[in-house]
């Protein structure tokens, strides 16, 4: 928990800028121009090309100054080109020669500006790029949904796995599920998989992770979804850092339409790094007092963290209409109502475990499967709504046979 206090909330109101160059006087002059820009707000850090190439913290924008010696700044561009994700790169050129301009663009600069830097040129370029990036994120990036609880056994892993499955089976989306319950690794069991590779394989690559390395660490499920499993060896769980998790999720968003994260029942720097990247966080409860009490405490903690993410929404799992702890009692005890509920179906879950089948292979028309489908629609409502499956049964049969083929 101590680590939480160290993490600065990422409000994303200001853009993180690395100002990269070798001459202190040159940088100071540019910094003055940057200082006069009020919209968007800029957080500027100065560094040498070498330090910037080694830096693992991700900036939004890198401004690389070419004011004489070109080897250093070109070296930075080359080092950056090999990494995903990378910042938007502005090259600031003293020399307006077409040869240099072409070279710099070829090495990966996104925008050229000339020295001495004019405030108006810079403001226009900033606006253009942030707009272009926002549009690209909307088009290219998938959505990340997290499930969490601070109480174990309520169904975080069950819902994570099944939300990924429904995205694939019913909606035909590319989906993946990430097991961040690192010491537990329950998703392997729920999905009946025995992964060769896990998130532990990615620890050493954090700074240079790319989609090929990431894909090699994933395990494919017969349905077509992918699992990024928790480490096999318990001691490897300790080696996974918030930086690994942040890098992995940023990259997974680019590979999948939906990334579902099982955040387990811990609160630490790793889960906070995941929540920061989630488009939506779902907090799972059941009919127990301990779960609703936990939900209230979690809500309070969440408020203190000040994340960019909206408040978590609460899913009542193992819903039993006969329970004396009714929805109204639960809502009163949490101080907020439930967003969705998923029925308790012990028999279906038992059969799935015995036969090593998933819910859509075993019981695609069960109340449980329908509730997960409804949950998927609800979550997506305020984003890109999922299509209505008018031919529900046919779509289901097709997806089951399609997945087996
Ligand atoms: N809707 C449900 N109906 C019946 N049993 C459930 C349901 N959801 C989860 N379970 C069972 O509850 C237990 C805990 O679920 P799990 O997903 O592992 O919880 P968590 O990840 O929160 O610890 C498992 O045995 C699971 O099969
Ligand atoms: Mg679990």
């Amino acid at each position: 928990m101590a680590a939480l206090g160290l993490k600065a909330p990422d409000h994303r109101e200001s853009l993180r800028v690395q100002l990269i160059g070798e001459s202190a006087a040159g940088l100071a002059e540019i910094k003055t121009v940057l200082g006069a820009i009020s919209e968007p707000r800029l957080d500027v850090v100065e560094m040498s090309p070498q330090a910037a190439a080694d830096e693992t913290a991700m900036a939004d924008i890198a401004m690389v100054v070419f004011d004489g010696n070109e080897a250093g700044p070109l070296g930075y561009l080359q080092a950056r080109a090999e990494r995903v994700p990378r910042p938007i790169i502005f090259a600031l050129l003293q020399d307006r020669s077409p040869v240099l301009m072409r070279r710099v663009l070829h090495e990966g600069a996104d925008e050229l500006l000339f020295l001495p830097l004019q405030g108006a040129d810079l403001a226009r370029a900033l606006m253009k790029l942030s707009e272009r990036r926002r549009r690209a994120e909307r088009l290219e990036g998938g959505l990340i949904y997290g499930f969490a609880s601070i109480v174990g056994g309520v169904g975080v892993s069950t819902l994570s796995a099944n939300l990924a499955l429904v995205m694939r089976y019913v909606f035909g989306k590319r989906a993946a599920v990430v097991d961040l319950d690192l010491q537990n690794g329950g998703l392997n069991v729920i999905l009946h998989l025995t992964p060769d590779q896990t998130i532990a394989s990615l620890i050493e690559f954090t700074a240079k992770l790319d989609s090929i390395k990431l894909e090699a660490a994933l395990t494919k499920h017969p349905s077509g979804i992918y699992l990024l499993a928790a480490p096999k060896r318990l001691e490897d769980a300790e080696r996974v850092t918030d930086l690994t998790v942040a890098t992995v999720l940023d990259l997974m968003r680019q590979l999948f339409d939906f990334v579902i994260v099982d955040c387990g029942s811990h609160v630490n720097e790793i889960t906070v790094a995941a929540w920061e990247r989630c488009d939506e966080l779902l907090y799972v409860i059941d009919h127990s007092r301990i779960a609703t009490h936990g939900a209230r405490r979690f809500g309070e903690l969440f408020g203190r963290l000040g994340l960019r993410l909206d408040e978590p929404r609460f899913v009542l799992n193992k819903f039993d209409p006969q329970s004396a702890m009714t929805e109204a009692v639960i809502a009163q005890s949490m101080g907020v109502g439930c967003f969705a509920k998923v029925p308790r179906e012990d028999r279906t879950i038992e059969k799935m475990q015995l036969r090593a089948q998933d819910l859509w292979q075993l019981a695609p028309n069960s109340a449980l499967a329908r509730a997960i489908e409804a949950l998927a629609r609800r979550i997506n409502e305020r984003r890109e709504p999922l299509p209505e499956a008018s031919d529900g049964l046919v779509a289901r049969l097709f997806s089951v046979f399609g997945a087996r083929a």
Side-chain angles (χ1 to χ4, degrees), residues 152-158 190 317-318 343-346 349 353 368:
V154 290
V156 168
S157 301
T158 304
I190 292 180
N317 185 32
K318 307 191 192 184
R344 173 169 197 151
E345 275 198 31
D346 294 336
I349 297 227
Q353 286 167 359
L368 186 55

Side-chain angles (χ1 to χ4, degrees), residues 6-307:
L6 299 176
K7 253 198 113 62
D10 178 8
H11 286 293
R12 303 234 109 232
E13 287 151 358
S14 55
L15 290 173
R16 286 161 299 185
V17 178
Q18 287 171 349
L19 183 54
I20 303 164
E22 278 161 342
S23 129
L27 293 188
E29 207 171 292
I30 296 165
K31 211 169 167 191
T32 314
V33 180
L34 293 178
I37 302 259
S38 58
E39 179 64 37
R41 260 198 6 236
L42 307 175
D43 264 339
V44 185
V45 189
E46 290 163 61
M47 44 178 79
S48 72
Q50 188 55 50
D54 294 339
E55 175 68 54
T56 48
M58 186 48 195
D60 296 300
I61 298 175
M63 296 192 178
V64 195
V65 184
F66 289 77
D67 57 358
N69 184 0
E70 269 124 44
L74 279 174
Y76 165 80
L77 290 182
Q78 284 151 1
R80 265 298 149 197
E82 291 163 11
R83 300 203 199 155
V84 179
R86 26 182 224 122
I88 291 170
I89 301 176
F90 285 21
L92 277 52
L93 310 182
Q94 184 105 67
D95 169 5
R96 300 192 177 209
S97 84
V99 179
L100 180 64
M101 287 196 255
R102 217 173 295 125
R103 176 88 198 269
V104 163
L105 288 171
H106 179 78
E107 298 292 357
D110 298 291
E111 184 82 15
L112 298 180
L113 290 167
F114 298 103
L115 297 171
L117 187 60
Q118 303 295 316
D121 290 347
L122 177 66
R124 181 180 42 77
L126 280 173
M127 230 179 277
K128 198 172 87 188
L129 278 186
S130 63
E131 186 47 39
R132 196 199 299 165
R133 183 153 85 159
R134 211 172 301 135
R135 226 179 295 143
E137 271 174 1
R138 245 183 279 132
L139 289 177
E140 286 167 19
L143 292 161
I144 304 183
Y145 295 149
F147 283 96
S149 163
I150 53 172
V151 178
V154 290
V156 168
S157 301
T158 304
L159 294 184
S160 303
N162 284 298
L163 188 67
L165 286 169
V166 79
M167 292 300 188
R168 178 76 211 147
Y169 274 128
V170 178
F171 303 108
K173 300 287 183 183
R174 290 174 300 176
V177 58
V178 180
D179 197 343
L180 289 188
D181 196 350
L182 297 172
Q183 295 206 343
N184 192 355
L187 281 177
N188 306 350
V189 182
I190 292 180
L191 291 168
H192 313 294
L193 292 172
T194 324
D196 271 340
Q197 301 297 320
T198 73
I199 193 169
S201 328
L202 302 177
I203 296 169
E204 55 186 306
F205 297 128
T206 297
K208 293 196 171 177
L209 187 64
D210 58 35
S211 57
I212 296 171
K213 294 185 188 106
L214 176 60
E215 280 175 45
L218 299 174
T219 306
K220 190 169 184 180
H221 181 267
S223 63
I225 68 164
Y226 287 83
L227 167 68
L228 182 59
K232 284 192 261 195
R233 296 179 340 153
L234 208 57
E235 57 271 35
D236 282 343
E238 294 288 307
R239 296 172 53 230
V240 177
T241 63
D242 51 349
L243 190 61
T244 311
V245 168
T247 316
V248 162
L249 291 181
D250 286 340
L251 196 50
M252 286 194 81
R253 190 198 278 286
Q254 296 172 28
L255 300 181
F256 294 96
D257 299 319
F258 292 96
V259 180
I260 316 296
V261 188
D262 177 341
C263 301
S265 47
H266 305 280
V267 177
N268 54 29
E269 65 276 28
I270 295 200
T271 44
V272 173
W275 301 342
E276 280 186 318
R277 278 161 179 80
C278 283
D279 294 285
E280 182 103 30
L281 184 61
L282 297 141
Y283 188 96
V284 185
I285 55 160
D286 61 13
H287 284 278
S288 67
R289 272 272 174 222
I290 185 124
T292 53
H293 178 69
R296 189 184 256 281
R297 290 183 53 214
F298 184 83
E300 288 160 8
L301 164 79
F302 200 83
R304 290 198 298 274
L305 286 176
L307 306 180

